[in-house]
PDB file of all heavy atoms in Angstrom:
ATOM      1  N   TYR A  31     -68.257  20.063 -14.541  1.00 91.00           N
ATOM      2  CA  TYR A  31     -66.942  19.484 -14.253  1.00 91.00           C
ATOM      3  C   TYR A  31     -66.441  18.698 -15.457  1.00 91.00           C
ATOM      4  O   TYR A  31     -67.166  17.841 -15.997  1.00 91.00           O
ATOM      5  CB  TYR A  31     -67.024  18.565 -13.049  1.00 91.00           C
ATOM      6  CG  TYR A  31     -65.710  17.989 -12.596  1.00 91.00           C
ATOM      7  CD1 TYR A  31     -64.917  18.673 -11.703  1.00 91.00           C
ATOM      8  CD2 TYR A  31     -65.275  16.768 -13.081  1.00 91.00           C
ATOM      9  CE1 TYR A  31     -63.699  18.137 -11.286  1.00 91.00           C
ATOM     10  CE2 TYR A  31     -64.053  16.246 -12.692  1.00 91.00           C
ATOM     11  CZ  TYR A  31     -63.272  16.928 -11.779  1.00 91.00           C
ATOM     12  OH  TYR A  31     -62.067  16.423 -11.381  1.00 91.00           O
ATOM     13  N   TYR A  35     -57.633  12.662 -18.754  1.00 94.00           N
ATOM     14  CA  TYR A  35     -56.799  11.583 -18.236  1.00 94.00           C
ATOM     15  C   TYR A  35     -55.943  11.036 -19.367  1.00 94.00           C
ATOM     16  O   TYR A  35     -56.329  11.121 -20.535  1.00 94.00           O
ATOM     17  CB  TYR A  35     -57.653  10.428 -17.698  1.00 94.00           C
ATOM     18  CG  TYR A  35     -58.471  10.721 -16.476  1.00 94.00           C
ATOM     19  CD1 TYR A  35     -59.714  11.319 -16.557  1.00 94.00           C
ATOM     20  CD2 TYR A  35     -58.004  10.367 -15.207  1.00 94.00           C
ATOM     21  CE1 TYR A  35     -60.476  11.571 -15.424  1.00 94.00           C
ATOM     22  CE2 TYR A  35     -58.744  10.609 -14.068  1.00 94.00           C
ATOM     23  CZ  TYR A  35     -59.986  11.209 -14.190  1.00 94.00           C
ATOM     24  OH  TYR A  35     -60.727  11.434 -13.054  1.00 94.00           O
ATOM     25  N   GLN A  37     -53.897   7.297 -20.383  1.00 94.00           N
ATOM     26  CA  GLN A  37     -53.781   5.889 -20.021  1.00 94.00           C
ATOM     27  C   GLN A  37     -52.662   5.261 -20.826  1.00 94.00           C
ATOM     28  O   GLN A  37     -52.718   5.228 -22.043  1.00 94.00           O
ATOM     29  CB  GLN A  37     -55.088   5.144 -20.262  1.00 94.00           C
ATOM     30  CG  GLN A  37     -55.049   3.695 -19.801  1.00 94.00           C
ATOM     31  CD  GLN A  37     -56.393   3.029 -19.901  1.00 94.00           C
ATOM     32  OE1 GLN A  37     -57.168   3.288 -20.806  1.00 94.00           O
ATOM     33  NE2 GLN A  37     -56.685   2.143 -18.954  1.00 94.00           N
ATOM     34  N   MET A  41     -51.628   0.216 -17.567  1.00 75.00           N
ATOM     35  CA  MET A  41     -51.768   1.067 -16.382  1.00 75.00           C
ATOM     36  C   MET A  41     -53.164   1.642 -16.292  1.00 75.00           C
ATOM     37  O   MET A  41     -53.898   1.670 -17.263  1.00 75.00           O
ATOM     38  CB  MET A  41     -50.747   2.205 -16.432  1.00 75.00           C
ATOM     39  CG  MET A  41     -49.306   1.747 -16.375  1.00 75.00           C
ATOM     40  SD  MET A  41     -48.175   3.130 -16.451  1.00 75.00           S
ATOM     41  CE  MET A  41     -48.538   3.941 -14.901  1.00 75.00           C
ATOM     42  N   GLY A  42     -53.489   2.118 -15.130  1.00 80.00           N
ATOM     43  CA  GLY A  42     -54.754   2.827 -14.951  1.00 80.00           C
ATOM     44  C   GLY A  42     -54.684   4.225 -15.528  1.00 80.00           C
ATOM     45  O   GLY A  42     -53.670   4.632 -16.101  1.00 80.00           O
ATOM     46  N   LEU A  43     -55.741   4.970 -15.357  1.00 88.00           N
ATOM     47  CA  LEU A  43     -55.797   6.333 -15.873  1.00 88.00           C
ATOM     48  C   LEU A  43     -55.163   7.308 -14.879  1.00 88.00           C
ATOM     49  O   LEU A  43     -55.316   7.160 -13.675  1.00 88.00           O
ATOM     50  CB  LEU A  43     -57.243   6.755 -16.121  1.00 88.00           C
ATOM     51  CG  LEU A  43     -57.904   6.190 -17.363  1.00 88.00           C
ATOM     52  CD1 LEU A  43     -58.291   4.728 -17.178  1.00 88.00           C
ATOM     53  CD2 LEU A  43     -59.133   7.015 -17.732  1.00 88.00           C
ATOM     54  N   LEU A  45     -54.777  11.474 -13.954  1.00 90.00           N
ATOM     55  CA  LEU A  45     -55.413  12.770 -14.180  1.00 90.00           C
ATOM     56  C   LEU A  45     -54.392  13.804 -14.614  1.00 90.00           C
ATOM     57  O   LEU A  45     -53.368  14.007 -13.945  1.00 90.00           O
ATOM     58  CB  LEU A  45     -56.116  13.218 -12.901  1.00 90.00           C
ATOM     59  CG  LEU A  45     -56.895  14.512 -12.956  1.00 90.00           C
ATOM     60  CD1 LEU A  45     -58.072  14.392 -13.909  1.00 90.00           C
ATOM     61  CD2 LEU A  45     -57.379  14.887 -11.563  1.00 90.00           C
ATOM     62  N   TYR A  48     -58.053  19.377 -14.792  1.00 91.00           N
ATOM     63  CA  TYR A  48     -59.488  19.345 -14.650  1.00 91.00           C
ATOM     64  C   TYR A  48     -60.029  20.763 -14.538  1.00 91.00           C
ATOM     65  O   TYR A  48     -59.267  21.713 -14.321  1.00 91.00           O
ATOM     66  CB  TYR A  48     -59.926  18.497 -13.461  1.00 91.00           C
ATOM     67  CG  TYR A  48     -59.517  19.031 -12.099  1.00 91.00           C
ATOM     68  CD1 TYR A  48     -60.407  19.767 -11.329  1.00 91.00           C
ATOM     69  CD2 TYR A  48     -58.254  18.766 -11.602  1.00 91.00           C
ATOM     70  CE1 TYR A  48     -60.035  20.243 -10.088  1.00 91.00           C
ATOM     71  CE2 TYR A  48     -57.873  19.244 -10.345  1.00 91.00           C
ATOM     72  CZ  TYR A  48     -58.747  19.962  -9.598  1.00 91.00           C
ATOM     73  OH  TYR A  48     -58.379  20.453  -8.376  1.00 91.00           O
ATOM     74  N   PHE A  90     -58.274  10.353 -22.469  1.00 97.00           N
ATOM     75  CA  PHE A  90     -59.713  10.333 -22.237  1.00 97.00           C
ATOM     76  C   PHE A  90     -60.150  11.634 -21.581  1.00 97.00           C
ATOM     77  O   PHE A  90     -59.509  12.121 -20.661  1.00 97.00           O
ATOM     78  CB  PHE A  90     -60.105   9.171 -21.310  1.00 97.00           C
ATOM     79  CG  PHE A  90     -59.956   7.826 -21.937  1.00 97.00           C
ATOM     80  CD1 PHE A  90     -58.836   7.042 -21.684  1.00 97.00           C
ATOM     81  CD2 PHE A  90     -60.942   7.322 -22.785  1.00 97.00           C
ATOM     82  CE1 PHE A  90     -58.692   5.791 -22.253  1.00 97.00           C
ATOM     83  CE2 PHE A  90     -60.791   6.069 -23.366  1.00 97.00           C
ATOM     84  CZ  PHE A  90     -59.687   5.299 -23.104  1.00 97.00           C
ATOM     85  N   ARG A  97     -69.153  19.348  -9.476  1.00 68.00           N
ATOM     86  CA  ARG A  97     -68.040  18.804  -8.692  1.00 68.00           C
ATOM     87  C   ARG A  97     -68.547  17.718  -7.750  1.00 68.00           C
ATOM     88  O   ARG A  97     -67.822  16.748  -7.457  1.00 68.00           O
ATOM     89  CB  ARG A  97     -67.406  19.937  -7.877  1.00 68.00           C
ATOM     90  CG  ARG A  97     -66.265  19.483  -6.995  1.00 68.00           C
ATOM     91  CD  ARG A  97     -65.975  20.548  -5.949  1.00 68.00           C
ATOM     92  NE  ARG A  97     -65.190  21.631  -6.477  1.00 68.00           N
ATOM     93  CZ  ARG A  97     -63.865  21.665  -6.484  1.00 68.00           C
ATOM     94  NH1 ARG A  97     -63.182  20.645  -6.016  1.00 68.00           N
ATOM     95  NH2 ARG A  97     -63.232  22.692  -6.975  1.00 68.00           N
ATOM     96  N   THR A  98     -69.761  17.829  -7.274  1.00 70.00           N
ATOM     97  CA  THR A  98     -70.264  16.889  -6.267  1.00 70.00           C
ATOM     98  C   THR A  98     -71.007  15.693  -6.893  1.00 70.00           C
ATOM     99  O   THR A  98     -71.522  14.872  -6.173  1.00 70.00           O
ATOM    100  CB  THR A  98     -71.190  17.591  -5.280  1.00 70.00           C
ATOM    101  OG1 THR A  98     -72.255  18.206  -6.005  1.00 70.00           O
ATOM    102  CG2 THR A  98     -70.449  18.661  -4.498  1.00 70.00           C
ATOM    103  N   ALA A  99     -71.076  15.625  -8.206  1.00 74.00           N
ATOM    104  CA  ALA A  99     -71.769  14.505  -8.838  1.00 74.00           C
ATOM    105  C   ALA A  99     -71.000  13.206  -8.619  1.00 74.00           C
ATOM    106  O   ALA A  99     -69.774  13.187  -8.563  1.00 74.00           O
ATOM    107  CB  ALA A  99     -71.894  14.766 -10.327  1.00 74.00           C
ATOM    108  N   TYR A 100     -71.734  12.115  -8.504  1.00 77.00           N
ATOM    109  CA  TYR A 100     -71.086  10.826  -8.244  1.00 77.00           C
ATOM    110  C   TYR A 100     -70.581  10.156  -9.512  1.00 77.00           C
ATOM    111  O   TYR A 100     -69.596   9.444  -9.477  1.00 77.00           O
ATOM    112  CB  TYR A 100     -72.070   9.898  -7.543  1.00 77.00           C
ATOM    113  CG  TYR A 100     -72.429  10.359  -6.150  1.00 77.00           C
ATOM    114  CD1 TYR A 100     -73.718  10.742  -5.814  1.00 77.00           C
ATOM    115  CD2 TYR A 100     -71.458  10.425  -5.159  1.00 77.00           C
ATOM    116  CE1 TYR A 100     -74.018  11.158  -4.548  1.00 77.00           C
ATOM    117  CE2 TYR A 100     -71.763  10.854  -3.880  1.00 77.00           C
ATOM    118  CZ  TYR A 100     -73.045  11.224  -3.582  1.00 77.00           C
ATOM    119  OH  TYR A 100     -73.342  11.637  -2.325  1.00 77.00           O
ATOM    120  N   GLU A 101     -71.258  10.372 -10.615  1.00 87.00           N
ATOM    121  CA  GLU A 101     -70.925   9.648 -11.840  1.00 87.00           C
ATOM    122  C   GLU A 101     -70.217  10.558 -12.821  1.00 87.00           C
ATOM    123  O   GLU A 101     -70.688  11.649 -13.111  1.00 87.00           O
ATOM    124  CB  GLU A 101     -72.193   9.086 -12.481  1.00 87.00           C
ATOM    125  CG  GLU A 101     -71.939   8.307 -13.758  1.00 87.00           C
ATOM    126  CD  GLU A 101     -73.200   7.664 -14.306  1.00 87.00           C
ATOM    127  OE1 GLU A 101     -74.260   7.755 -13.656  1.00 87.00           O
ATOM    128  OE2 GLU A 101     -73.128   7.050 -15.386  1.00 87.00           O
ATOM    129  N   GLN A 102     -69.100  10.087 -13.349  1.00 89.00           N
ATOM    130  CA  GLN A 102     -68.419  10.794 -14.419  1.00 89.00           C
ATOM    131  C   GLN A 102     -68.624  10.044 -15.734  1.00 89.00           C
ATOM    132  O   GLN A 102     -68.590   8.819 -15.760  1.00 89.00           O
ATOM    133  CB  GLN A 102     -66.931  10.939 -14.113  1.00 89.00           C
ATOM    134  CG  GLN A 102     -66.674  11.899 -12.953  1.00 89.00           C
ATOM    135  CD  GLN A 102     -65.236  12.338 -12.856  1.00 89.00           C
ATOM    136  OE1 GLN A 102     -64.467  12.222 -13.789  1.00 89.00           O
ATOM    137  NE2 GLN A 102     -64.866  12.865 -11.673  1.00 89.00           N
ATOM    138  N   PHE A 104     -67.280   9.347 -19.564  1.00 95.00           N
ATOM    139  CA  PHE A 104     -66.031   9.383 -20.317  1.00 95.00           C
ATOM    140  C   PHE A 104     -66.286   9.372 -21.812  1.00 95.00           C
ATOM    141  O   PHE A 104     -67.250   8.743 -22.282  1.00 95.00           O
ATOM    142  CB  PHE A 104     -65.151   8.202 -19.952  1.00 95.00           C
ATOM    143  CG  PHE A 104     -64.465   8.344 -18.617  1.00 95.00           C
ATOM    144  CD1 PHE A 104     -65.135   8.103 -17.456  1.00 95.00           C
ATOM    145  CD2 PHE A 104     -63.129   8.742 -18.553  1.00 95.00           C
ATOM    146  CE1 PHE A 104     -64.510   8.253 -16.208  1.00 95.00           C
ATOM    147  CE2 PHE A 104     -62.490   8.879 -17.341  1.00 95.00           C
ATOM    148  CZ  PHE A 104     -63.173   8.633 -16.165  1.00 95.00           C
ATOM    149  N   GLY A 105     -65.410  10.063 -22.545  1.00 97.00           N
ATOM    150  CA  GLY A 105     -65.441   9.995 -23.995  1.00 97.00           C
ATOM    151  C   GLY A 105     -64.773   8.743 -24.504  1.00 97.00           C
ATOM    152  O   GLY A 105     -64.222   7.977 -23.722  1.00 97.00           O
ATOM    153  N   PRO A 106     -64.755   8.548 -25.833  1.00 96.00           N
ATOM    154  CA  PRO A 106     -64.215   7.327 -26.418  1.00 96.00           C
ATOM    155  C   PRO A 106     -62.696   7.285 -26.502  1.00 96.00           C
ATOM    156  O   PRO A 106     -62.118   6.232 -26.778  1.00 96.00           O
ATOM    157  CB  PRO A 106     -64.831   7.305 -27.828  1.00 96.00           C
ATOM    158  CG  PRO A 106     -65.053   8.741 -28.137  1.00 96.00           C
ATOM    159  CD  PRO A 106     -65.402   9.403 -26.835  1.00 96.00           C
ATOM    160  N   ARG A 109     -56.215   8.219 -29.409  1.00 97.00           N
ATOM    161  CA  ARG A 109     -54.955   7.459 -29.351  1.00 97.00           C
ATOM    162  C   ARG A 109     -53.869   8.258 -30.030  1.00 97.00           C
ATOM    163  O   ARG A 109     -53.940   8.500 -31.245  1.00 97.00           O
ATOM    164  CB  ARG A 109     -55.150   6.096 -30.025  1.00 97.00           C
ATOM    165  CG  ARG A 109     -53.991   5.142 -29.827  1.00 97.00           C
ATOM    166  CD  ARG A 109     -54.341   3.750 -30.401  1.00 97.00           C
ATOM    167  NE  ARG A 109     -55.494   3.163 -29.736  1.00 97.00           N
ATOM    168  CZ  ARG A 109     -55.448   2.422 -28.649  1.00 97.00           C
ATOM    169  NH1 ARG A 109     -54.269   2.166 -28.103  1.00 97.00           N
ATOM    170  NH2 ARG A 109     -56.545   1.918 -28.132  1.00 97.00           N
TER     171      ARG A 109
ATOM    172  N   TYR B  32     -65.575   7.355  -0.115  1.00 89.00           N
ATOM    173  CA  TYR B  32     -66.497   6.455  -0.757  1.00 89.00           C
ATOM    174  C   TYR B  32     -65.740   5.385  -1.555  1.00 89.00           C
ATOM    175  O   TYR B  32     -64.629   5.608  -1.998  1.00 89.00           O
ATOM    176  CB  TYR B  32     -67.398   7.226  -1.747  1.00 89.00           C
ATOM    177  CG  TYR B  32     -68.427   8.105  -1.104  1.00 89.00           C
ATOM    178  CD1 TYR B  32     -68.098   9.313  -0.515  1.00 89.00           C
ATOM    179  CD2 TYR B  32     -69.771   7.742  -1.123  1.00 89.00           C
ATOM    180  CE1 TYR B  32     -69.040  10.126   0.071  1.00 89.00           C
ATOM    181  CE2 TYR B  32     -70.739   8.558  -0.549  1.00 89.00           C
ATOM    182  CZ  TYR B  32     -70.367   9.738   0.057  1.00 89.00           C
ATOM    183  OH  TYR B  32     -71.320  10.551   0.621  1.00 89.00           O
ATOM    184  N   TYR B  34     -65.896   3.416  -5.084  1.00 93.00           N
ATOM    185  CA  TYR B  34     -66.466   3.484  -6.422  1.00 93.00           C
ATOM    186  C   TYR B  34     -65.978   2.295  -7.243  1.00 93.00           C
ATOM    187  O   TYR B  34     -64.875   1.814  -7.065  1.00 93.00           O
ATOM    188  CB  TYR B  34     -65.994   4.764  -7.132  1.00 93.00           C
ATOM    189  CG  TYR B  34     -66.775   5.983  -6.801  1.00 93.00           C
ATOM    190  CD1 TYR B  34     -66.642   6.603  -5.585  1.00 93.00           C
ATOM    191  CD2 TYR B  34     -67.626   6.529  -7.750  1.00 93.00           C
ATOM    192  CE1 TYR B  34     -67.367   7.729  -5.282  1.00 93.00           C
ATOM    193  CE2 TYR B  34     -68.355   7.669  -7.457  1.00 93.00           C
ATOM    194  CZ  TYR B  34     -68.238   8.248  -6.222  1.00 93.00           C
ATOM    195  OH  TYR B  34     -68.946   9.365  -5.938  1.00 93.00           O
ATOM    196  N   TYR B  36     -65.710   1.388 -11.421  1.00 95.00           N
ATOM    197  CA  TYR B  36     -65.838   1.681 -12.829  1.00 95.00           C
ATOM    198  C   TYR B  36     -65.358   0.465 -13.605  1.00 95.00           C
ATOM    199  O   TYR B  36     -64.598  -0.353 -13.083  1.00 95.00           O
ATOM    200  CB  TYR B  36     -64.978   2.887 -13.230  1.00 95.00           C
ATOM    201  CG  TYR B  36     -65.602   4.237 -12.988  1.00 95.00           C
ATOM    202  CD1 TYR B  36     -65.708   4.732 -11.694  1.00 95.00           C
ATOM    203  CD2 TYR B  36     -66.063   5.012 -14.028  1.00 95.00           C
ATOM    204  CE1 TYR B  36     -66.273   5.976 -11.455  1.00 95.00           C
ATOM    205  CE2 TYR B  36     -66.637   6.257 -13.820  1.00 95.00           C
ATOM    206  CZ  TYR B  36     -66.741   6.734 -12.525  1.00 95.00           C
ATOM    207  OH  TYR B  36     -67.309   7.963 -12.304  1.00 95.00           O
ATOM    208  N   GLN B  38     -63.893  -0.732 -17.737  1.00 95.00           N
ATOM    209  CA  GLN B  38     -63.432  -0.271 -19.033  1.00 95.00           C
ATOM    210  C   GLN B  38     -63.390  -1.448 -19.987  1.00 95.00           C
ATOM    211  O   GLN B  38     -62.553  -2.343 -19.844  1.00 95.00           O
ATOM    212  CB  GLN B  38     -62.047   0.397 -18.918  1.00 95.00           C
ATOM    213  CG  GLN B  38     -61.585   1.021 -20.197  1.00 95.00           C
ATOM    214  CD  GLN B  38     -60.277   1.774 -20.057  1.00 95.00           C
ATOM    215  OE1 GLN B  38     -59.493   1.515 -19.139  1.00 95.00           O
ATOM    216  NE2 GLN B  38     -60.010   2.716 -20.945  1.00 95.00           N
ATOM    217  N   GLN B  42     -62.481   1.351 -25.021  1.00 92.00           N
ATOM    218  CA  GLN B  42     -63.521   2.331 -24.738  1.00 92.00           C
ATOM    219  C   GLN B  42     -63.149   3.131 -23.484  1.00 92.00           C
ATOM    220  O   GLN B  42     -62.240   2.777 -22.741  1.00 92.00           O
ATOM    221  CB  GLN B  42     -64.871   1.646 -24.509  1.00 92.00           C
ATOM    222  CG  GLN B  42     -65.385   0.913 -25.723  1.00 92.00           C
ATOM    223  CD  GLN B  42     -66.757   0.294 -25.481  1.00 92.00           C
ATOM    224  OE1 GLN B  42     -67.483   0.720 -24.556  1.00 92.00           O
ATOM    225  NE2 GLN B  42     -67.113  -0.711 -26.267  1.00 92.00           N
ATOM    226  N   GLY B  43     -63.886   4.227 -23.255  1.00 94.00           N
ATOM    227  CA  GLY B  43     -63.685   4.995 -22.034  1.00 94.00           C
ATOM    228  C   GLY B  43     -64.307   4.273 -20.852  1.00 94.00           C
ATOM    229  O   GLY B  43     -65.206   3.445 -20.997  1.00 94.00           O
ATOM    230  N   PRO B  44     -63.839   4.542 -19.640  1.00 94.00           N
ATOM    231  CA  PRO B  44     -64.405   3.912 -18.444  1.00 94.00           C
ATOM    232  C   PRO B  44     -65.887   4.235 -18.288  1.00 94.00           C
ATOM    233  O   PRO B  44     -66.366   5.272 -18.748  1.00 94.00           O
ATOM    234  CB  PRO B  44     -63.581   4.524 -17.302  1.00 94.00           C
ATOM    235  CG  PRO B  44     -62.297   4.929 -17.941  1.00 94.00           C
ATOM    236  CD  PRO B  44     -62.660   5.368 -19.315  1.00 94.00           C
ATOM    237  N   TYR B  46     -69.040   4.212 -15.322  1.00 94.00           N
ATOM    238  CA  TYR B  46     -69.418   4.133 -13.913  1.00 94.00           C
ATOM    239  C   TYR B  46     -70.322   2.926 -13.693  1.00 94.00           C
ATOM    240  O   TYR B  46     -71.214   2.627 -14.515  1.00 94.00           O
ATOM    241  CB  TYR B  46     -70.158   5.419 -13.523  1.00 94.00           C
ATOM    242  CG  TYR B  46     -70.919   5.346 -12.207  1.00 94.00           C
ATOM    243  CD1 TYR B  46     -70.263   5.593 -11.012  1.00 94.00           C
ATOM    244  CD2 TYR B  46     -72.269   5.067 -12.196  1.00 94.00           C
ATOM    245  CE1 TYR B  46     -70.965   5.534  -9.803  1.00 94.00           C
ATOM    246  CE2 TYR B  46     -72.976   5.022 -11.007  1.00 94.00           C
ATOM    247  CZ  TYR B  46     -72.314   5.272  -9.806  1.00 94.00           C
ATOM    248  OH  TYR B  46     -73.006   5.221  -8.624  1.00 94.00           O
ATOM    249  N   HIS B  49     -71.421   2.993  -6.530  1.00 93.00           N
ATOM    250  CA  HIS B  49     -70.589   3.511  -5.462  1.00 93.00           C
ATOM    251  C   HIS B  49     -71.318   3.330  -4.140  1.00 93.00           C
ATOM    252  O   HIS B  49     -72.548   3.142  -4.101  1.00 93.00           O
ATOM    253  CB  HIS B  49     -70.227   4.986  -5.670  1.00 93.00           C
ATOM    254  CG  HIS B  49     -71.346   5.947  -5.372  1.00 93.00           C
ATOM    255  ND1 HIS B  49     -72.360   6.188  -6.274  1.00 93.00           N
ATOM    256  CD2 HIS B  49     -71.610   6.690  -4.281  1.00 93.00           C
ATOM    257  CE1 HIS B  49     -73.194   7.062  -5.755  1.00 93.00           C
ATOM    258  NE2 HIS B  49     -72.776   7.384  -4.551  1.00 93.00           N
ATOM    259  N   TYR B  87     -62.263  -1.388 -12.147  1.00 95.00           N
ATOM    260  CA  TYR B  87     -61.491  -0.549 -11.255  1.00 95.00           C
ATOM    261  C   TYR B  87     -62.241  -0.268  -9.952  1.00 95.00           C
ATOM    262  O   TYR B  87     -63.386   0.191  -9.986  1.00 95.00           O
ATOM    263  CB  TYR B  87     -61.152   0.799 -11.888  1.00 95.00           C
ATOM    264  CG  TYR B  87     -60.303   0.714 -13.128  1.00 95.00           C
ATOM    265  CD1 TYR B  87     -60.874   0.764 -14.399  1.00 95.00           C
ATOM    266  CD2 TYR B  87     -58.916   0.595 -13.042  1.00 95.00           C
ATOM    267  CE1 TYR B  87     -60.077   0.717 -15.534  1.00 95.00           C
ATOM    268  CE2 TYR B  87     -58.115   0.558 -14.174  1.00 95.00           C
ATOM    269  CZ  TYR B  87     -58.710   0.611 -15.413  1.00 95.00           C
ATOM    270  OH  TYR B  87     -57.934   0.559 -16.547  1.00 95.00           O
ATOM    271  N   ARG B  91     -62.518   7.375  -2.930  1.00 81.00           N
ATOM    272  CA  ARG B  91     -62.584   8.794  -3.266  1.00 81.00           C
ATOM    273  C   ARG B  91     -63.147   9.578  -2.091  1.00 81.00           C
ATOM    274  O   ARG B  91     -64.122   9.176  -1.491  1.00 81.00           O
ATOM    275  CB  ARG B  91     -63.484   8.952  -4.479  1.00 81.00           C
ATOM    276  CG  ARG B  91     -63.617  10.333  -5.060  1.00 81.00           C
ATOM    277  CD  ARG B  91     -64.660  10.244  -6.159  1.00 81.00           C
ATOM    278  NE  ARG B  91     -64.793  11.444  -6.928  1.00 81.00           N
ATOM    279  CZ  ARG B  91     -65.828  11.727  -7.708  1.00 81.00           C
ATOM    280  NH1 ARG B  91     -66.811  10.856  -7.819  1.00 81.00           N
ATOM    281  NH2 ARG B  91     -65.888  12.840  -8.388  1.00 81.00           N
ATOM    282  N   ALA B  94     -67.692  14.667  -0.991  1.00 56.00           N
ATOM    283  CA  ALA B  94     -67.927  15.841  -1.821  1.00 56.00           C
ATOM    284  C   ALA B  94     -67.621  17.144  -1.100  1.00 56.00           C
ATOM    285  O   ALA B  94     -67.677  18.212  -1.694  1.00 56.00           O
ATOM    286  CB  ALA B  94     -69.381  15.863  -2.294  1.00 56.00           C
ATOM    287  N   ASP B  97     -61.957  19.824  -1.344  1.00 57.00           N
ATOM    288  CA  ASP B  97     -61.577  20.461  -2.596  1.00 57.00           C
ATOM    289  C   ASP B  97     -61.143  19.463  -3.641  1.00 57.00           C
ATOM    290  O   ASP B  97     -61.170  19.768  -4.826  1.00 57.00           O
ATOM    291  CB  ASP B  97     -60.430  21.451  -2.343  1.00 57.00           C
ATOM    292  CG  ASP B  97     -60.929  22.687  -1.609  1.00 57.00           C
ATOM    293  OD1 ASP B  97     -62.146  22.941  -1.626  1.00 57.00           O
ATOM    294  OD2 ASP B  97     -60.097  23.385  -1.012  1.00 57.00           O
ATOM    295  N   TRP B  99     -62.546  16.786  -4.430  1.00 59.00           N
ATOM    296  CA  TRP B  99     -63.653  16.028  -5.005  1.00 59.00           C
ATOM    297  C   TRP B  99     -63.641  16.176  -6.522  1.00 59.00           C
ATOM    298  O   TRP B  99     -63.395  17.218  -7.053  1.00 59.00           O
ATOM    299  CB  TRP B  99     -64.981  16.572  -4.467  1.00 59.00           C
ATOM    300  CG  TRP B  99     -66.154  15.844  -5.030  1.00 59.00           C
ATOM    301  CD1 TRP B  99     -66.958  16.272  -6.039  1.00 59.00           C
ATOM    302  CD2 TRP B  99     -66.623  14.562  -4.644  1.00 59.00           C
ATOM    303  NE1 TRP B  99     -67.922  15.317  -6.294  1.00 59.00           N
ATOM    304  CE2 TRP B  99     -67.738  14.277  -5.450  1.00 59.00           C
ATOM    305  CE3 TRP B  99     -66.222  13.638  -3.683  1.00 59.00           C
ATOM    306  CZ2 TRP B  99     -68.456  13.086  -5.332  1.00 59.00           C
ATOM    307  CZ3 TRP B  99     -66.942  12.452  -3.559  1.00 59.00           C
ATOM    308  CH2 TRP B  99     -68.036  12.196  -4.373  1.00 59.00           C
ATOM    309  N   GLY B 100     -63.978  15.100  -7.181  1.00 61.00           N
ATOM    310  CA  GLY B 100     -63.995  15.101  -8.630  1.00 61.00           C
ATOM    311  C   GLY B 100     -62.875  14.251  -9.182  1.00 61.00           C
ATOM    312  O   GLY B 100     -62.988  13.636 -10.223  1.00 61.00           O
ATOM    313  N   LYS B 101     -61.740  14.203  -8.455  1.00 72.00           N
ATOM    314  CA  LYS B 101     -60.616  13.446  -8.950  1.00 72.00           C
ATOM    315  C   LYS B 101     -60.825  11.968  -8.704  1.00 72.00           C
ATOM    316  O   LYS B 101     -61.132  11.538  -7.603  1.00 72.00           O
ATOM    317  CB  LYS B 101     -59.341  13.887  -8.219  1.00 72.00           C
ATOM    318  CG  LYS B 101     -59.012  15.355  -8.416  1.00 72.00           C
ATOM    319  CD  LYS B 101     -57.758  15.703  -7.624  1.00 72.00           C
ATOM    320  CE  LYS B 101     -57.486  17.200  -7.704  1.00 72.00           C
ATOM    321  NZ  LYS B 101     -56.294  17.547  -6.895  1.00 72.00           N
ATOM    322  N   LEU B 102     -60.635  11.173  -9.747  1.00 79.00           N
ATOM    323  CA  LEU B 102     -60.668   9.731  -9.636  1.00 79.00           C
ATOM    324  C   LEU B 102     -59.252   9.206  -9.811  1.00 79.00           C
ATOM    325  O   LEU B 102     -58.599   9.528 -10.779  1.00 79.00           O
ATOM    326  CB  LEU B 102     -61.577   9.131 -10.721  1.00 79.00           C
ATOM    327  CG  LEU B 102     -63.084   9.394 -10.603  1.00 79.00           C
ATOM    328  CD1 LEU B 102     -63.775   8.902 -11.864  1.00 79.00           C
ATOM    329  CD2 LEU B 102     -63.630   8.711  -9.385  1.00 79.00           C
ATOM    330  N   PHE B 104     -57.253   6.027 -10.576  1.00 83.00           N
ATOM    331  CA  PHE B 104     -57.372   4.681 -11.086  1.00 83.00           C
ATOM    332  C   PHE B 104     -56.093   3.881 -10.809  1.00 83.00           C
ATOM    333  O   PHE B 104     -55.006   4.364 -11.074  1.00 83.00           O
ATOM    334  CB  PHE B 104     -57.626   4.694 -12.598  1.00 83.00           C
ATOM    335  CG  PHE B 104     -58.989   5.180 -12.986  1.00 83.00           C
ATOM    336  CD1 PHE B 104     -59.260   6.533 -13.049  1.00 83.00           C
ATOM    337  CD2 PHE B 104     -59.979   4.272 -13.329  1.00 83.00           C
ATOM    338  CE1 PHE B 104     -60.520   6.971 -13.433  1.00 83.00           C
ATOM    339  CE2 PHE B 104     -61.236   4.718 -13.711  1.00 83.00           C
ATOM    340  CZ  PHE B 104     -61.503   6.040 -13.778  1.00 83.00           C
ATOM    341  N   GLY B 105     -56.267   2.653 -10.362  1.00 84.00           N
ATOM    342  CA  GLY B 105     -55.129   1.725 -10.268  1.00 84.00           C
ATOM    343  C   GLY B 105     -55.101   0.863 -11.515  1.00 84.00           C
ATOM    344  O   GLY B 105     -55.586   1.243 -12.571  1.00 84.00           O
TER     345      GLY B 105
END
Side-chain angles (χ1 to χ4, degrees):
Chain A
Y31 184 88
Y35 292 84
Q37 184 173 36
M41 296 180 66
L43 283 76
L45 183 65
Y48 66 98
F90 290 99
R97 179 196 281 270
T98 57
Y100 293 115
E101 180 175 356
Q102 291 195 18
F104 284 79
R109 190 174 299 272
Chain B
Y32 287 75
Y34 277 73
Y36 276 74
Q38 186 175 22
Q42 297 182 21
Y46 165 85
H49 75 280
Y87 297 98
R91 184 185 187 196
D97 288 341
W99 180 259
K101 300 178 185 178
L102 292 172
F104 288 81

